[in-house]
Amino acid sequence: MIPRLTGIGRAARTARPSPAGFDRRLIAPMLLGSVLNPINSSMIAVALVPIGVAFGAPPAETVWLVSALYLATAVGQPVVGRLVDMYGPRRLYLIGTGLVGIAGFLGALAPSLGALTGARVLLGFGTSAAYPAAMRLTRSEAERTGRDSPAGVLTALAVANQTVAVIGPALGGLLIGVGGWRAVFTVNVPLSAACLVLGALRLPRTARAAESRGRGVDLPGMALFAVMLVSLMLFLTAPRPGHWYLPVLSAVAGAGFAVRELRVPDPFVDLRVLGGNVPLIVTYVRQLLGYTTAYAFMYGFPQWLEESRGLHAATAGLVLLPLSGAALAVSALTGRREAVRGKLLAGSLVQMAVCAALLLVGSGTPVWVLPALAAVMGVPQGVIGLATQTALYRQAEPARTASAAGLLRTFGYLGALAASAANAAFFTHRADTPGLHDLALFMLAGSALLLATVLPDRSLSALTPSGKA
């Protein structure tokens, strides 16, 4: 049984009726809020080319629209997750989803690429609240009902995020076809409004967690974490000798962060607990590897379709649509069975197969092969994220579920950032076929590393109560 939590579970019981099962009124705001980030991450994939044309910017510059969001969310997710653990999900959810609407409005009116990038930063921070809030609500509901395996809710979260992530390019292409690239930003305004209404009506009011009363937010720790992460990611985005100071700054900030977190009584990230939880650390690494390949494909393949195969943005989005159907089907079929190890094995092997097939793709490849490749890539999209999310739920300290979930998202964003950096490196001037093949080799190496972390790890089989993982 899940350990009893203080504060949030008790407040939830007093704020609403106590049905025997999961409170279904929470599901709509949880799902809608959690998809704000993946939908904005994926829609931009087909908007990079028209935005570049509008502002006269090459791919090496428009890639910052991707990197900026992930820089913001990589820092924002664990920070906001810690605040969710301390102050409860509702207020952070409402603040974050409100920022999404403001960012969408500013992006739709942006007069320059720099202003558009700023809107993406704000969008990243705004989308950082809903997923940690959803994971915290899932944990508190499991504690309230005494049910140890909320597989259905975790599956719904994973399916919604994975499906929206892969529907995003098609939706982005449709919006661009109807209203131009600015429509990709405008759509956030009604989405934000829907989240605010649902969140205000359905999310329970919760008291500040009892264990955090009387203790302040670890702002120095959060600031050092932000400097460490942003410096590292800026270097990874444009690694060159002239930027030597960035990894040095990251290392110095990291050392200061470690010293700080080991000394304060209520740290932002409890390094003592995290350092003793090796399985959770490995789960974060798997998230990084799996999402690097997933996003490299999602960003690189449509650019190649548009610039080398001459497809319109809307058509390129439709080519990726089978990825959505496959991911949805696989997640729905496998979601009720946790099977963490089996899903990670299957996902890494299929990723390797698709990457190998991309080495054979060229200008003469039959058109039907392109959506077929996307469909096969939907298999790992459907199982890897679900497996790492389930593993984190089982491995994380219950009282820090939201911040642990935020950190899981951070490693996913690091993977997305690595993917965008790889796209910028391999598509220097345009997305040509040799660049696609180099990108495929990069993805193949990452997928092989993911497989190497899963094969020897028999501890995954003991994660679930049944022992069937």
Side-chain angles (χ1 to χ4, degrees):
M1 183 176 293
I2 291 177
R4 189 176 187 81
L5 303 181
T6 59
I8 289 183
R10 185 182 303 112
R13 286 192 297 275
T14 61
R16 65 187 191 279
S18 299
F22 192 95
D23 189 345
R24 294 184 178 276
R25 291 176 296 176
L26 303 178
I27 294 177
M30 285 170 59
L31 294 184
L32 184 59
S34 70
V35 302
L36 291 175
N37 188 276
I39 198 170
N40 280 285
S41 304
S42 56
M43 283 194 303
I44 200 71
V46 294
L48 294 176
V49 171
I51 289 173
V53 172
F55 292 116
E61 293 182 14
T62 57
V63 75
W64 279 103
L65 294 172
V66 177
S67 301
L69 184 138
Y70 287 115
L71 283 167
T73 47
V75 174
Q77 285 273 349
V79 169
V80 176
R82 182 58 184 145
L83 296 177
V84 169
D85 283 329
M86 296 179 69
Y87 296 101
R90 187 177 190 271
R91 67 193 73 180
L92 274 303
Y93 178 97
L94 295 175
I95 292 171
T97 54
L99 286 177
V100 170
I102 296 172
F105 180 76
L106 294 176
L109 299 178
S112 66
L113 185 62
L116 196 61
T117 303
R120 291 281 290 180
V121 171
L122 184 60
L123 190 61
F125 282 117
T127 60
S128 293
Y131 180 73
M135 289 295 284
R136 183 66 181 185
L137 285 165
T138 301
R139 174 72 74 177
S140 63
E141 280 294 285
E143 182 271 335
R144 182 182 62 80
T145 61
R147 297 188 177 186
D148 185 49
S149 182
V153 178
L154 293 177
T155 299
L157 282 173
V159 168
N161 280 264
Q162 294 158 358
T163 303
V164 167
V166 292
I167 285 178
L171 175 60
L174 177 63
L175 290 171
I176 291 169
V178 172
W181 63 263
R182 293 184 187 274
V184 169
F185 289 85
T186 308
V187 72
N188 285 292
V189 177
L191 289 176
S192 170
C195 286
L196 288 173
V197 171
L198 287 171
L201 292 177
R202 298 188 177 186
L203 296 186
R205 296 180 183 275
T206 55
R208 185 178 178 182
E211 68 271 15
S212 67
R213 291 187 184 125
R215 298 178 181 178
V217 178
D218 183 17
L219 293 178
M222 292 177 177
L224 288 168
F225 175 81
V227 173
M228 174 188 69
L229 200 58
V230 171
S231 299
L232 176 61
M233 293 197 297
L234 285 175
F235 178 75
L236 293 176
T237 300
R240 61 189 65 167
H243 292 169
W244 62 268
Y245 59 91
L246 289 174
V248 172
L249 178 60
S250 180
V252 171
F257 174 72
V259 171
R260 165 78 186 179
E261 301 305 276
L262 290 171
R263 291 184 176 180
V264 296
D266 190 32
F268 162 47
V269 177
D270 195 335
L271 295 181
R272 296 182 188 89
V273 173
L274 184 61
N277 195 343
V278 176
L280 181 58
I281 294 174
V282 177
T283 292
Y284 288 143
V285 173
R286 290 176 182 137
Q287 178 89 341
L288 169 66
L289 294 172
Y291 275 70
T292 297
T293 297
Y295 278 104
F297 182 87
M298 187 173 296
Y299 292 136
F301 194 54
Q303 285 191 71
W304 177 79
L305 290 174
E306 291 178 51
E307 295 194 344
S308 287
R309 293 299 296 257
L311 301 184
H312 186 270
T315 306
L318 289 174
V319 169
L320 288 189
L321 194 56
L323 201 160
S324 166
L328 176 60
V330 170
S331 295
L333 289 172
T334 65
R336 289 288 179 176
R337 179 175 174 82
E338 296 190 2
V340 173
R341 187 170 186 270
K343 290 176 180 176
L344 290 171
L345 286 173
S348 56
L349 287 170
V350 175
Q351 276 191 343
M352 292 176 66
V354 174
C355 295
L358 284 177
L359 295 173
L360 305 177
V361 168
S363 58
T365 302
V367 174
W368 66 267
V369 173
L370 306 179
L373 284 174
V376 178
M377 197 60 160
V379 175
Q381 289 274 9
V383 295
I384 292 177
L386 184 57
T388 55
Q389 178 180 262
T390 302
L392 175 128
Y393 185 84
R394 294 293 177 191
Q395 296 163 342
E397 179 189 0
R400 287 178 174 260
T401 297
S403 51
L407 208 53
L408 183 72
R409 279 286 181 96
T410 293
F411 277 86
Y413 303 143
L414 284 171
L417 186 70
S420 64
N423 274 274
F426 298 128
F427 298 152
T428 307
H429 301 292
R430 63 185 301 271
D432 56 16
T433 298
L436 178 67
H437 291 168
D438 290 338
L439 183 64
L441 288 172
F442 170 80
M443 293 189 292
L444 183 60
S447 301
L449 286 174
L450 174 60
L451 180 63
T453 69
V454 179
L455 280 174
D457 190 356
R458 299 293 176 180
S459 70
L460 292 173
S461 299
L463 271 184
T464 59
S466 65
K468 297 178 181 180

